[in-house]
Amino acid sequence: MVLPGIVTNITNFGAFVDIGVKQDGLVHISKIANEYIKNPADILYLYQELHVKVIEVDSERKKDPAFNKGYMSRSGF
């Protein structure tokens, strides 16, 4: 499922994206770009609008949803 979202936090290991549900989802650093990046802030910025594809939701452990890079559009909506 591809959804619009907004980057709410950038960390050393990835970025959290608000897609309008209770918890923000994580885009892991390895899923942000097709090539190696050292810092997610080199590619993303706070409050950036993008599209993400939900690849996993772990409702049993109540972990953040995981998103896939392949459907992330940095150009906005």
Side-chain angles (χ1 to χ4, degrees), residues 5-18 25-33 35 37-52 67-69 71-76:
I6 298 174
V7 176
T8 58
N9 192 16
I10 300 173
T11 67
N12 291 337
F13 56 85
F16 288 91
V17 177
D18 179 4
L26 172 66
V27 180
H28 190 267
I29 190 170
S30 66
K31 304 290 185 183
I32 291 174
E35 64 277 345
I37 59 169
K38 188 172 184 177
N39 184 350
D42 293 341
I43 305 288
L44 302 173
Y45 56 90
L46 283 178
Y47 309 114
Q48 179 177 356
E49 296 179 344
L50 43 75
H51 286 87
V52 292
F67 298 132
N68 191 348
K69 67 170 180 206
Y71 292 85
M72 188 173 68
S73 169
R74 292 190 303 271
S75 60

